[in-house]
Amino acid sequence: MALAARLWRFLPLRRGAAPGSWLPTGTSGSRGHCGPGRVRVSKVLGNPGTLKRGLLVSALSYLGFETYQVISQAAVVHATAKVEEILEQADYLYESGETEKLYQLLTQYKESEDAELLWRLARASRDVAQLSRTSEEEKKQLVYEALEYAKRALEKNESNFAAHKWYAICISDVGDYEGIKVKIANAYIIKEHFEKAIELNPKDATSIHLMGIWCYTFAEMPWYQRRIAKVLFATPPSSTYEEALGYFHRAEQVDPNFYSKNLLLLGKTYLKLHNKKLAAFWLLKARDYPAHTEEDKQVHTEAAQLLTGFSDKN
């Protein structure tokens, strides 16, 4: 009834007049008499019954719209809560080293529009590709899937630092299947996205570590690849071991012992710079790092081999 009362206010009634009362129509014009000086509301608005039915339909439509809005808002809240729940499960599985379970969970939501979910799916796809029991054919498929998920995450939210980070990682992985020319050309894009990730979140040790890997990779680029790069590009990408070391140390300062591979690369970079004492220090830390993932186990093996090399030379 309150709603109907509000709707009546939009009818052209004079102040104090009730529905169905007489309304003034003005006076005759200069061309002569224009008809009765007053006309019934029924002649202006039609049949009163029809008017009431129209108002009832309008009221119901208005109520229906308000109900739709409430339901829509509730649906959005519910969807957001569901995404948050999925992300919590995903992060738990990731921290637990449950690589395949994580991938199975997230692929159920591969059509999602949520950037946080999509970059995690890109990471999970890549992690499954890295497993030793994954075939080469499956690995290639997963690498390209990961790139697609990361690209979509970036399209959904360009301010998401993790989307930039994983997009760069996945472009790098795809380069392994597309030849040296593409890989070198992609290097500029990769660097740009790592730098953007660091800019958006300077406390993310992984992004800083990855920038260190970029520098390390181009510092140790073989001579034949350097020659190709010079032919293809006026100013090919380049870096030094000192630059790489700076990023690896910066990552360690932001989050000490956050990643076994950062420890390993600190050791390997010091080896490249002929500082065996500091190389041994970081390689020991890498070898003794708790193994949570397949990659941690690979790091253990490589660190142990490098340390064995020290012993053999001594």
Side-chain angles (χ1 to χ4, degrees):
M1 292 301 293
L3 177 62
R6 281 187 287 165
L7 290 170
W8 277 116
R9 289 184 300 161
F10 294 98
L11 298 178
L13 301 177
R14 73 176 188 273
R15 184 176 298 177
S21 66
W22 298 92
L23 294 175
T25 61
T27 58
S28 304
S30 59
R31 291 186 179 182
H33 192 68
C34 293
R38 294 184 294 179
V39 181
R40 285 187 175 275
V41 172
S42 60
K43 290 186 178 181
V44 176
L45 301 176
N47 188 288
T50 303
L51 174 62
K52 290 179 181 179
R53 285 194 297 273
L55 289 171
L56 179 60
V57 170
S58 297
L60 290 173
S61 297
Y62 181 84
L63 288 172
F65 176 71
E66 284 195 333
T67 303
Y68 168 77
Q69 284 188 312
V70 170
I71 292 172
S72 297
Q73 290 168 1
V76 169
V77 171
H78 176 72
T80 303
K82 185 178 180 181
V83 169
E84 289 298 324
E85 184 180 330
I86 295 164
L87 295 180
E88 285 182 13
Q89 292 175 24
D91 290 344
Y92 174 79
L93 290 172
Y94 180 75
E95 293 298 328
S96 302
E98 296 285 357
T99 304
E100 290 171 299
K101 287 183 181 179
L102 173 59
Y103 177 73
Q104 290 166 5
L105 168 69
L106 293 177
T107 47
Q108 297 177 66
Y109 308 100
K110 62 184 179 181
E111 301 303 325
S112 172
E113 300 293 310
D114 189 278
E116 288 288 335
L117 197 151
L118 287 168
W119 74 252
R120 283 173 171 82
L121 180 51
R123 179 182 65 183
S125 301
R126 183 180 185 272
D127 286 347
V128 173
Q130 298 292 319
L131 295 175
S132 57
R133 56 182 171 273
T134 302
S135 70
E136 283 303 315
E137 185 179 345
E138 290 173 323
K139 180 177 180 179
K140 183 177 180 180
Q141 181 181 341
L142 286 163
V143 162
Y144 277 93
E145 277 183 18
L147 177 59
E148 183 59 30
Y149 296 137
K151 182 180 178 182
R152 283 174 52 205
L154 197 57
E155 288 171 352
K156 298 303 174 187
N157 187 356
E158 289 189 353
S159 298
N160 188 306
F161 82 94
H164 283 278
K165 175 171 66 178
W166 286 99
Y167 182 63
I169 292 169
C170 293
I171 288 178
S172 178
D173 289 343
V174 165
D176 293 336
Y177 297 99
E178 300 193 349
I180 186 65
K181 182 178 179 180
V182 173
K183 196 170 182 69
I184 293 173
N186 284 343
Y188 296 101
I189 301 170
I190 292 166
K191 184 181 182 183
E192 176 188 337
H193 285 283
F194 282 151
E195 288 175 338
K196 186 64 177 178
I198 295 169
E199 178 190 327
L200 289 168
N201 185 1
K203 294 298 183 182
D204 180 53
T206 308
S207 298
I208 301 168
H209 162 82
L210 292 168
M211 197 59 237
I213 289 183
W214 190 95
C215 295
Y216 186 93
T217 300
F218 285 99
E220 72 165 1
M221 180 185 284
W223 66 267
Y224 66 90
Q225 289 187 2
R226 290 184 189 277
R227 181 172 294 179
I228 294 171
K230 286 180 181 179
V231 170
L232 296 173
F233 306 98
T235 54
S238 63
S239 190
T240 65
Y241 290 118
E242 286 81 4
E243 283 183 284
L245 191 67
Y247 280 110
F248 294 142
H249 271 299
R250 180 178 165 188
E252 206 61 32
Q253 289 166 359
V254 168
D255 191 1
N257 297 315
F258 75 103
Y259 187 28
S260 61
K261 197 166 184 178
N262 198 64
L263 303 175
L264 175 68
L265 281 165
L266 276 163
K268 291 176 71 172
T269 307
Y270 273 116
L271 274 179
K272 294 289 186 180
L273 294 170
H274 310 291
N275 189 329
K276 291 184 178 180
K277 184 177 179 181
L278 284 174
F281 172 80
W282 290 106
L283 290 172
L284 281 167
K285 286 176 74 71
R287 186 196 65 184
D288 298 337
Y289 189 90
H292 295 298
T293 66
E294 189 80 14
E295 188 178 43
D296 290 336
K297 295 173 186 176
Q298 293 168 5
V299 164
H300 284 189
T301 301
E302 187 174 355
Q305 289 172 347
L306 289 169
L307 286 165
T308 301
F310 277 23
S311 301
D312 293 341
K313 289 176 182 178
N314 293 332

